[in-house]
Each structure stands twice: as C-alpha cells, then as structure tokens.
Amino acid sequence: MTASLTLDVLNATSAARFVQFLDGLYEHSPWVLERTAAKRPFASVAALKYALAQTVREASREKQLALIRAHPELAGRAAVAGQLTEDSAGEQARAGLTQCTPEEFELLQQLNAAYNSRFGFPFIIAVRGPTGAGLSRYDIMAAMERRLRNAPDQEFAEALRQIDRIAEIRLADRLSLTRPYGDAVMAWAEALAVHSDSPDHLTCTYLTPAHRAVAARIQAWMTEAGFDSVYQDAAGNVVGRYRAAPTDASPPLLATGSHYDTVRNAGKYDGRLGVLLPIAVVADLKRRNRRFPFDLDVVAFAEEEGVRYGSTFLGSSAYIGRFDANLLDALDASNVSMREAMQLAGLDPEQLGKAAADTSRLVHYFEVHIEQGPVLLERNLPVGVVTSIAGSVRRLVTLTGVAGHAGTTPMDMRRDAACAAAEIVLAVERRCAQAPSLVGTVGILNVPEGSVNVIPGTCTLSLDIRAADNAVRDAALADIEREIAAICARRGVSATTEELVRAAAAPCARKQMDMWSRAIAERGLPVLELPSGAGHDAMKMAEATSITMLFTRCGNGGISHNPLETMTADDAQLAGELMLDFLEQMAGSLAAERSPA
C-alpha cells in the first residue's frame, strides 16, 4: 500500500485514507492525523511536517500529555511483553535496546523510574539520530541522564519535539524519501570531525595538523564534485569555482561558504554546514550539466573563530583583499608566529595579496549557517531568513570602591564595588530587554584578590551589547553608561571603561532576502525573518558586496559551540533545495539585468 505513497496521493485522498496511510506516525493518537488532514493541500513534504507539528502544538495541554504518555518506556514492560507497535519495536531493536546486558537493563529501569517520577511521563527520544543512523543504547542513556536535569516545562517541550522528530523519520519511511544533499552533508561533517587538535573533543584551530587535514578533505570533495578549479590560497582558504556557462565571456561572480575552523570543544556543524552544503549542490548541478550566467565560488574560509591568534575573519578578509599583514607577527600560546605557522603549513605569507578574489565582479555573497540559537526550534521552523548581523560593542569596566573589614564596616557606610557591579548587571538586563533585536551580556564578573571577609574594593566586568541596528545598540549603550554613572555616584564608587571591540551591524540585502523568502513560501512554509546575534564571515564579506544568510534549525535547545550542537539531514536537505532555488532566481535576475533593454 505504501510503496507508491506520495504527497500528491496524500493531498488527493479522503481524510479517512489520509489517516490510514499515515497510521503509526504518532503512537496510538490518530487525532493528530485527523486534524492535519483538514489543513490540506500541502505544497511540499516540509509543509506537511510543519502542519503535523503545529497540530500537536495547537492541542490542549491534556491532549499533548496524553500523546506523550502513549509512548512506551524504552526497554520497558511493553517491550519485554512484546506489546510495542511495529514502528516502536523496530526502532528500539535497531538502537540495541533488546540486547542490553542485565546491568544495562537494570540501569535503564532505574533511569525510566527516575524520569517518570520527576516528570510524570515516559522518556521519549528519536532513536534514529540526526544523520539518520541509529543512536546506540549508550547515547540514549546519556541523553536520559542529561535531560533529567531539565525543568519540567522545558522537558515537556523537548518531549513534544522528539515526537515531531519521530514522526518526521517515520513519514520519510512511508514516502520513501531520499535526501542526497542532507545525507552528504551529515556524512562529510562526521568525517571532518575525526580531525581534531585534541583526542578528547573536537577542536580544530588555524593551521594545526588537524586543520590542514580538514582542508585537504574539503579540497578532495570539491574536486570529486566537479568544480572547474579548486585551490588553496595563501591564507589557507579552500576555493572551488564552478564556472559560468561558456557563452558568457565576462561573467559576474557569486560567492558562498563559511569557515572550517572551530572553537574548543566544538560541535560539528558551525561553519562547516555552509561549506559542505554548496559542495553537494554543485555536485548535483554538475551531474545535470546546469550552468548559470555567473561564476560560483564556494569558499571554505580557513579561520573565523579567532581561537589560535585572537584575530577573527582571517580567511574572509584575505578573500576580499583586506588581510592585515601586521597580524603575521602575532604569537599563539606556544609563541609560534602566524607567519611561521603559515610556512610550516606550506603556505607563503608573501602571496597573501594574491589570495583576493576579483571583487569588482563580486555581485553577492550568501551563507547558510546553523542558527546557533533556539528561535527556529521553538517555532517548529526548519529555516529562517536573516535580516542583519548584529553590530557589537564590547567593553571592560573596572569599578573601584574601598576594601574594608566585612565585620566592622556598617552597611550604610560601605563603598562596595561588587554591589555596584550587581546593580549594573541588572541594569544591562533591564535595558536590553526593551528592543526585539537588542541583547546585552555581562560574561565576565571578577573580584580581584577577593576574600570571604573583605568588602570588595575592586570589581571588573565585561559588557557585550549587540543589535541588528547600530542606532538601537548605541542608544542602549548610552542609557547603560548613564545608569553606570548614577549607580557609582550613589554608592561612592568610580568607574573606568576600556572599549575592546566595536563592529558595525551588517544588514542583509532586501532583494536577495526576498528570493530566499519566495523559495520558502513556495514550499508552503511560513517565512520567519530574524537577526543574527553572532558574527559570521558574511559580516566581513559585507565590506565588499551585498550579503544574505539562511539559518537552519539547531536541535538540543539551540545549543552551539558545544559537542551537543546538532541539526538533521532533513533540514540540511531542505536548505540545499532552497539554495538551488536561490541560485536559479539569481540567474534570472542577473540575466535580466545584463540583457539589452
């Protein structure tokens, strides 16, 4: 019955048959399918998945709880008694839960009991992981132990998200869906993660042996994909060019990419998604012999994070011809200069000037990136269109009061620097909650040489203020400055401020944003525009051309810069399809601009 099941069939069939075709997507809960059937037709499978998830979100709390409780415990009584649904039985078997040792089985029962006692419902996890491969029973038990620390409402929401993911996996099986872009990206990301500066976790910093191994793999994959030229420039960037149709003698240049270096103890997808996905798309274009009226550069930027030498955007600055040669004398923690590191990696720093692309031909840069936040996840959306990359100001504030004896100085006679800092932290939180794209963080708070019985005489704190609009950021900063002055005056404390960073916001180009939005809307998905609070290579590229960014959803609460950072092959597949649509729209737009009136 399901061998020929397609979206067209689901759209055209009766509501009863719709439910019958998709029976089992949700455990003993046909009401989800019944309510979703009323929302047809769906423009894409992605729209169907979104509608299913929204049906669950629109239900009452009681209905949602009943849905969660309809799921069996992992390796629980129903599994032992052979009472699982066919889908659940197969999924638990593939995860190895039917092969637990007696000790593992006992631990699972203890975890099940602890979880049920804390939350009042069974632990739910999609046992097929983000790559499509099955999680092991060890992965599952580790996730259960981690999620036991969640607050009840947080875990309730996570249980529903896991149900969404389970339904997504089962729907793909029913429809026999393939994910050529998504599967390639996830497999390549796993392969790159093998190369690390540390044996214990993923760390890949500029020009280390692991970094060079990653560059070599990316270069090989670009060659295999069918790029017309592939090379590594003097900064370590790996550049693949897919040339324009041969009829165009002087084509414009479009660029995309991201970085392949990582932070310490990193996730697998930050930056690397934006490198790997366009490689997969170009491989598809090459197979179909599809060319555009522009050259397409896919750039794996060698450095963005600033971990080894403290300077960010080294790769993208070299690509646009703005590499600061003074940085070549910077030293890492082992006193190895950047110049020396380049030479050891077989690069010639004297050739950095030749690393630049012909920016006079560069008409646009776009970047696909994981969101690194929870917004898309909370809204059940796989992708979003970035409006602007936030401009930031970072400062270090030193507060000086008077140190004194903790027991002999009355409360109303103290000049406590730490208390002033505490007020400032709350003032930052209060002020930065007043605008949607504005955020403020005090990430460093320190009492130098503090002691349990001494009133803090000095306190240092950092300020990080970001907004998608420079004026919004600067207005907040001015208000915070006034608040700091008032707090210090009231408390008899002085303040000195050192500005560490000031970076302008990088707005995205409305014309190309609309192209992304059209591609999303044509698939029947809501279009969400959102700012990027984090910096990206697109921020540096904005100095040379117009930019856009497409965000993809992060799992695990939106966490990033962390081994728990994750995404799914399904979302990567959708992003690849949207990228292809975007390229086609750019081709039409550029062809129209260049054609005679």
Side-chain angles (χ1 to χ4, degrees):
M1 180 181 66
T2 59
S4 60
L5 187 61
T6 65
L7 182 64
D8 287 340
V9 170
L10 289 173
N11 277 332
T13 193
S14 67
R17 291 284 283 169
F18 179 93
V19 174
Q20 183 182 359
F21 280 137
L22 299 183
D23 181 50
L25 257 61
Y26 295 87
E27 295 283 315
H28 309 293
S29 302
W31 62 267
V32 180
L33 302 175
E34 291 164 358
R35 295 182 185 183
T36 304
K39 301 177 179 180
R40 293 177 296 169
F42 302 111
S44 66
V45 173
L48 170 56
K49 290 188 287 191
Y50 175 76
L52 289 164
Q54 285 301 102
T55 295
V56 173
R57 296 310 180 280
E58 292 160 1
S60 67
R61 177 85 174 194
E62 291 74 21
K63 205 77 172 172
Q64 292 172 344
L65 182 58
L67 172 62
I68 294 172
R69 287 176 172 166
H71 286 71
E73 287 185 340
L74 298 179
R77 295 187 192 90
V80 173
Q83 297 171 346
L84 297 179
T85 64
E86 182 179 347
D87 288 293
S88 287
E91 289 159 356
Q92 293 205 24
R94 283 190 293 271
L97 293 173
T98 55
Q99 283 98 39
C100 289
T101 65
E103 293 77 15
E104 290 167 347
F105 183 77
E106 177 61 28
L107 176 57
L108 262 174
Q109 301 316 302
Q110 292 173 6
L111 288 171
N112 276 331
Y115 185 95
N116 221 315
S117 174
R118 175 162 171 72
F119 300 116
F121 48 80
F123 177 73
I124 301 174
I125 190 168
V127 297
R128 258 186 279 178
T131 64
L135 298 178
S136 72
R137 57 186 180 271
Y138 310 110
D139 295 329
I140 292 167
M141 287 187 282
M144 193 183 300
E145 289 178 331
R146 184 177 69 250
R147 284 168 52 187
L148 268 167
R149 298 191 290 270
N150 285 348
D153 282 351
Q154 181 184 11
E155 186 57 20
F156 189 91
E158 181 60 27
L160 293 179
R161 282 193 289 267
Q162 291 296 326
I163 289 171
D164 292 341
R165 178 62 183 148
I166 292 167
E168 179 177 53
I169 292 167
R170 293 175 179 178
L171 180 64
D173 290 344
R174 301 289 198 280
L175 297 177
S176 301
L177 297 178
T178 59
R179 302 169 304 196
Y181 303 149
D183 289 343
V185 165
M186 303 305 278
W188 288 338
E190 290 292 323
L192 293 185
V194 169
H195 304 290
S196 177
D197 303 342
S198 168
D200 302 319
H201 51 72
L202 175 56
T203 299
C204 184
T205 57
Y206 188 46
L207 298 180
T208 62
H211 186 269
R212 299 200 296 271
V214 168
R217 282 214 172 189
I218 291 171
Q219 194 161 355
W221 290 333
M222 285 182 172
T223 301
E224 292 168 10
F227 284 82
D228 299 290
S229 65
V230 181
Y231 64 93
Q232 186 172 35
D233 68 20
N237 298 325
V238 181
V239 185
R241 176 163 294 177
Y242 188 65
R243 297 197 184 281
T247 53
D248 200 328
S250 181
L253 173 64
L254 195 68
T256 186
S258 195
H259 60 98
Y260 65 91
D261 68 321
T262 75
V263 296
R264 292 189 178 91
N265 200 20
K268 300 171 185 174
Y269 308 105
D270 172 21
R272 295 177 176 187
L273 169 65
V275 175
L276 301 174
L277 186 62
I279 296 176
V281 169
V282 166
D284 179 39
L285 292 169
K286 178 70 173 181
R287 280 191 296 269
R288 295 189 287 112
N289 197 29
R290 175 69 174 107
R291 297 279 175 170
F292 298 115
F294 50 78
D295 287 343
L296 175 64
D297 273 3
V298 176
V299 191
F301 294 118
E303 199 285 335
E304 185 254 17
E305 298 288 4
V307 175
R308 186 173 182 184
Y309 288 103
S311 296
T312 58
F313 304 127
L314 298 180
S316 47
S317 65
Y319 181 77
I320 62 170
R322 300 192 181 191
F323 187 92
D324 182 358
N326 294 321
L327 295 174
L328 292 172
D329 296 322
L331 301 176
D332 68 7
S334 299
N335 288 322
V336 177
S337 73
M338 189 184 298
R339 186 190 308 276
E340 184 181 356
M342 286 181 171
Q343 292 167 340
L344 289 171
L347 305 176
D348 184 358
E350 302 305 316
Q351 299 298 311
L352 279 166
K354 297 180 180 179
D358 182 359
T359 54
S360 66
R361 292 199 300 125
L362 185 59
V363 293
H364 189 70
Y365 172 83
F366 67 92
E367 185 168 350
V368 178
H369 205 284
I370 58 171
E371 182 198 349
Q372 299 184 281
V375 176
L376 293 173
L377 185 70
E378 292 293 330
R379 300 195 185 202
N380 301 310
L381 291 173
V383 293
V385 180
V386 177
T387 56
S388 178
I389 303 172
S392 64
V393 172
R394 295 178 187 173
R395 292 178 176 177
L396 188 65
V397 180
T398 301
L399 304 174
T400 304
V402 176
H405 196 291
T408 61
T409 309
M411 297 301 291
D412 61 352
M413 298 178 67
R414 298 183 178 206
R415 295 165 62 189
D416 189 325
C419 285
E423 278 202 68
I424 291 168
V425 171
L426 294 176
V428 170
E429 180 185 52
R430 187 169 53 250
R431 177 60 181 84
C432 291
Q434 295 177 15
S437 71
L438 176 66
V439 292
T441 305
V442 176
I444 298 172
L445 191 60
N446 184 42
V447 177
E449 301 179 0
S451 179
V452 68
N453 61 348
V454 178
I455 299 164
T458 304
C459 188
T460 58
L461 66 151
S462 62
L463 290 178
D464 184 320
I465 312 298
R466 307 186 190 202
D469 181 270
N470 292 332
V472 172
R473 178 202 65 196
D474 293 343
L477 195 59
D479 289 344
I480 290 167
E481 288 171 347
R482 283 190 287 272
E483 190 72 18
I484 290 173
I487 290 167
C488 289
R490 188 173 67 254
R491 289 185 169 274
V493 171
S494 64
T496 58
T497 302
E498 177 188 4
E499 186 157 299
L500 306 175
V501 172
R502 180 177 287 266
C508 291
R510 172 50 63 182
K511 179 178 178 180
Q512 283 80 14
M513 283 175 61
D514 289 344
M515 292 181 186
W516 288 113
S517 296
R518 277 194 294 273
I520 295 167
E522 284 172 2
R523 284 161 176 78
L525 291 168
V527 176
L528 177 68
E529 295 187 352
L530 71 168
S532 171
H536 299 286
D537 286 297
M539 199 171 198
K540 174 58 67 172
M541 293 296 295
E543 297 176 12
T545 189
S546 63
I547 62 164
T548 49
M549 291 191 71
L550 182 77
F551 273 168
T552 65
R553 169 173 49 193
C554 284
N556 284 336
I559 196 169
S560 183
H561 282 184
N562 185 297
L564 295 176
E565 171 185 288
T566 189
M567 63 173 297
T568 68
D570 297 84
D571 287 353
Q573 177 66 28
L574 175 62
E577 293 168 4
L578 295 170
M579 181 186 295
L580 186 59
D581 195 324
F582 177 81
L583 291 171
E584 294 288 358
Q585 291 187 65
M586 283 294 297
S589 175
L590 289 171
E593 289 175 9
R594 303 181 79 204
S595 63

